Amino acid sequence: MSSNFVIRHPKVLFSLVGLWLLLAFSCQPRKDSTDETLNIIPYPVSVTLHTGIYHLKSPVTMYVPDSLQQLGDVFTDYVKQIGYKVKTARGKHADVSFSLNSALSLPDEGYLLNINRSGVILEAGTRAGLFYGMQTLLQLIAVRGKNLPRLSITDYPRFSYRGLHLDVGRHMFPPEFIKRYIDLMARFKFNRFHWHLTEDQGWRIEIKKYPRLQEVAAWRDETIVGHAGKSNKYDGQRYGGYYTQEEIRDIVNYAAQRHITIIPEIEMPGHSRAALAAYPNLGCTGGPYAVATTWGVFEDVYCAGKEETFTFLQDVFDEVIGLFPGTYVHIGGDECPKKRWKECRLCQQRIKNEKLKDEHHLQSWFIQRIEKYLNSKGRKIIGWDEILEGGLAPNATVMSWRGEEGGIAAAKQQHTVIMTPGNWCYLDHYQASPETEPLAIGGLTTVEEVYSYEPLPASLTETEQQYILGAQGNVWTEYMKTPEHVEYMVYPRALALAEVVWTPKEKRNYEDFLRRLKQLQPWLDALQVNYARHVLNDTSPQ
Ligand code: TNX
């Protein structure tokens, strides 16, 4: 076609211009489009959609450098679960290639995911980044099958601490379930599992030096039936158990492969009746004590006056530290009534000797002494916000649970903070009207409320806000007896929280979250997650 021809025939010119415009427009990358194809939770920092599809081969071929073999194995397992086989391919001709590139200027856990006409390229500066990129890719494969949209994603987390907690003191769940809990967390880019291992109602971690923790503290005679505030009926059934050190090591490794650090919690000075039942000399009155059979806050706590208490706790921590390689250890610190200490000669003596003002300061002294010990072993402590009362231990991180105030106060004192305020982060609360729900502790925290949570309090300056490491969902299990019930309470609220802690604030959109959740529903079904369906308009039986 000569240019003269085009000029002489204006209709042809118009059609050519039209065609060009059409092509130009449809090939234009669509940045952050809410395209139906994008089913990713948590939503990435930046997505550019291109036209066209990349078809994965059968079996899916993957290239991983030798140094990343473990990641390759995890990927192969995950893809198998979706129903596809994976074969390794040499060189970079594979469908999916992973590469670690320390020259990338991305935040620590960030990744780049490119899907173009020749395949899927995952790049990151760290193994964690590659792992998260892989999770994004898996979500795409789970929903789109082998026809992947061409796109470019740049992604990294908003917060470095993205946690879920699980209380195994009130009810205990088998090691297989703990792994599943961790695996599901990893799929949504959580990176901290806070394992609440000791309670009034049961001690769940094997400590070899103290066999009575296994023989006595791990077991309660029976359990209250119904709501602790309203019932006085008990089931008459002995209940308990504990995780052996071998099981714990296995779980810690499993979590590490999924880039999840476990933070073990050993509660003190309160919530310690199970330990006192085993070793009554550790209490102010000397007992006898029994492992608690109902829920609540109990007056019997570790004696702060006796040296034996600290010998015991230090011995316990020596074993705990050997099992959990992470820097942080949670020492509890919440809900410690001061009644026994007020009446205890040795505690009062301690107050005098240490020139403390009162029992709150005695608690603070207690925590600081434990902190010093753990710091000397290269560890750092996290405590519930009560550890602010009577003065914070010098290097402690505060977990703010009674609202945000504790976190705000700690950040102002330049202490790091993890936000877990009850109104948004308590996944043991009801998620819908109590009449329609299985028995729960109380409260009401809907998926939408969790989603609306903003971890950075507006009352803090930008500098102070930097002390907020992230947020965590708490799962107290007084009223959750089975793994299925735990999942029902946790999902999908944990997915809302995953987006709170990962996605940039300005990218959060509840309607779009629900749309993506619906798209992921068949995948959650395939994984047999017992998620609650209130926000999915799904009335199938649970
Ligand atoms: C308070 S949160 C507790 C737990 C209970 C929970 C029930 C916290 C630090 N302590 O012992 O299980 O409320 O929601």
Side-chain angles (χ1 to χ4, degrees):
M1 196 171 15
S2 78
S3 50
N4 275 351
F5 176 87
V6 173
I7 291 161
R8 273 185 277 117
H9 295 83
K11 265 197 196 156
V12 175
L13 178 67
F14 282 135
S15 340
L16 280 176
V17 171
L19 187 68
W20 179 84
L21 276 175
L22 191 77
L23 281 173
F25 230 75
S26 57
C27 294
Q28 190 76 12
R30 282 164 292 152
K31 202 164 162 75
D32 288 320
S33 141
T34 52
D35 190 290
E36 297 289 285
T37 52
L38 279 180
N39 51 269
I40 303 156
I41 294 177
Y43 197 78
V45 171
S46 150
V47 182
T48 307
L49 274 171
H50 307 293
T51 345
I53 297 292
Y54 177 76
H55 299 278
L56 291 170
K57 298 184 197 80
S58 249
V60 176
T61 56
M62 140 188 109
Y63 170 74
V64 255
D66 290 344
S67 61
L68 296 174
Q69 201 44 56
Q70 199 184 47
L71 184 76
D73 292 346
V74 175
F75 180 68
T76 306
D77 269 3
Y78 277 138
V79 177
K80 261 193 210 150
Q81 285 170 23
I82 304 174
Y84 304 125
K85 286 205 179 100
V86 179
K87 219 173 73 182
T88 47
R90 258 193 254 129
K92 305 226 159 161
H93 300 297
D95 281 322
V96 183
S97 63
F98 293 88
S99 94
L100 202 55
N101 179 356
S102 52
L104 287 177
S105 56
L106 271 176
D108 252 7
E109 298 168 292
Y111 65 90
L112 302 177
L113 173 64
N114 277 296
I115 307 181
N116 58 33
R117 56 202 295 265
S118 45
V120 181
I121 301 152
L122 246 168
E123 278 181 287
T126 61
R127 283 159 202 265
L130 281 180
F131 183 80
Y132 295 130
M134 176 182 80
Q135 296 300 352
T136 298
L137 174 63
L138 284 164
Q139 288 188 13
L140 286 171
I141 300 175
V143 172
R144 299 278 307 223
K146 288 190 171 174
N147 303 322
L148 300 179
R150 293 194 200 163
L151 47 73
S152 313
I153 291 179
T154 304
D155 200 13
Y156 47 85
R158 182 173 174 210
F159 291 103
S160 63
Y161 188 111
R162 305 180 300 280
L164 278 188
H165 146 289
L166 184 66
D167 162 20
V168 294
R170 275 60 178 260
H171 285 103
M172 200 192 162
F173 312 96
E176 279 319 305
F177 177 72
I178 304 298
K179 287 187 179 175
R180 178 181 162 82
Y181 192 81
I182 288 169
D183 186 52
L184 285 173
M185 285 173 63
R187 289 167 183 274
F188 299 97
K189 305 186 175 81
F190 284 103
N191 64 354
R192 300 284 183 269
F193 171 47
H194 172 175
W195 201 1
H196 186 82
L197 286 161
T198 71
E199 257 306 335
D200 296 305
Q201 296 84 3
W203 181 286
R204 306 281 174 233
I205 171 172
E206 180 187 22
I207 300 295
K208 295 196 194 268
K209 192 159 185 183
Y210 293 92
R212 284 176 63 79
L213 291 175
Q214 285 70 253
E215 290 154 16
V216 177
W219 303 92
R220 61 177 179 258
D221 288 341
E222 54 184 356
T223 305
I224 189 154
V225 177
H227 202 284
K230 294 177 196 122
S231 161
N232 49 21
K233 229 177 98 193
Y234 289 78
D235 66 5
Q237 313 254 330
R238 188 168 145 86
Y239 182 96
Y242 59 92
Y243 301 97
T244 65
Q245 295 203 350
E246 202 181 322
E247 285 168 339
I248 290 173
R249 273 198 201 93
D250 179 48
I251 289 170
V252 167
N253 284 338
Y254 182 89
Q257 281 168 9
R258 284 155 184 75
H259 294 274
I260 290 188
T261 304
I262 304 187
I263 293 155
E265 180 179 353
I266 306 296
E267 268 269 18
M268 69 199 61
H271 285 294
S272 50
R273 249 191 52 187
L276 297 188
Y279 295 99
N281 56 315
L282 304 178
C284 294
T285 65
Y289 307 103
V291 179
T293 54
T294 184
W295 323 123
V297 174
F298 299 93
E299 281 165 1
D300 288 307
V301 302
Y302 290 116
C303 176
K306 292 180 181 168
E307 278 307 291
E308 292 148 271
T309 300
F310 297 94
T311 311
F312 169 79
L313 289 172
Q314 290 178 7
D315 287 344
V316 165
F317 276 126
D318 286 347
E319 294 193 31
V320 168
I321 285 170
L323 292 168
F324 295 93
T327 308
Y328 286 97
V329 176
H330 202 303
I331 50 73
D334 61 311
E335 298 180 325
C336 177
K338 306 294 183 292
K339 183 165 189 287
R340 293 287 183 260
W341 291 358
K342 280 193 180 131
E343 296 159 356
C344 171
R345 190 178 48 82
L346 293 174
C347 288
Q348 292 306 314
Q349 192 60 46
R350 181 82 80 189
I351 290 179
K352 235 191 243 148
N353 293 353
E354 298 294 333
K355 303 192 176 51
L356 304 169
K357 212 162 88 202
D358 58 13
E359 290 73 23
H360 290 292
H361 288 80
L362 181 58
Q363 156 136 351
S364 168
W365 175 87
F366 189 119
I367 301 294
Q368 292 194 27
R369 180 159 169 182
I370 294 293
E371 176 182 62
K372 216 182 266 164
Y373 184 73
L374 286 165
N375 284 172
S376 79
K377 304 273 166 185
R379 301 305 177 100
K380 291 186 181 156
I381 67 160
I382 304 178
W384 299 108
D385 57 44
E386 284 92 334
I387 67 167
L388 278 151
E389 294 160 11
L392 263 184
N395 306 305
T397 297
V398 171
M399 208 168 243
S400 189
W401 72 280
R402 297 173 303 175
E404 297 174 281
E405 291 71 23
I408 293 171
K412 283 187 192 290
Q413 295 176 41
Q414 305 183 332
H415 278 254
T416 42
V417 171
I418 297 148
M419 285 296 195
T420 65
N423 286 349
W424 296 277
C425 296
Y426 269 47
L427 307 184
D428 60 338
H429 287 175
Y430 283 106
Q431 52 190 317
S433 168
E435 304 84 65
T436 61
E437 288 295 299
L439 183 66
I441 193 154
L444 176 64
T445 303
T446 62
V447 177
E448 190 169 1
E449 275 166 298
V450 176
Y451 196 85
S452 73
Y453 182 53
E454 172 45 42
L456 298 183
S459 61
L460 292 180
T461 64
E462 240 172 73
T463 316
E464 288 163 349
Q465 284 182 347
Q466 283 165 17
Y467 289 97
I468 314 285
L469 303 178
Q472 173 176 288
N474 289 342
V475 186
W476 302 101
T477 58
E478 289 96 330
Y479 299 93
M480 298 174 213
K481 286 191 166 69
T482 63
E484 293 72 31
H485 195 177
V486 170
E487 280 188 7
Y488 175 82
M489 299 302 278
V490 174
Y491 289 94
R493 289 187 288 188
L495 303 191
L497 188 67
E499 199 142 308
V500 168
V501 287
W502 181 280
T503 305
K505 189 179 172 191
E506 63 281 5
K507 293 272 161 73
R508 258 154 61 190
N509 174 329
Y510 183 61
E511 292 309 312
D512 193 59
F513 168 77
L514 288 183
R515 178 189 64 73
R516 284 176 281 124
L517 181 60
K518 276 185 191 134
Q519 282 189 307
L520 285 177
Q521 198 176 353
W523 180 51
L524 294 174
D525 289 335
L527 293 170
Q528 298 180 319
V529 181
N530 187 38
Y531 56 88
R533 286 148 212 263
H534 308 90
V535 296
L536 288 156
N537 304 323
D538 180 345
T539 50
S540 45
Q542 295 241 262

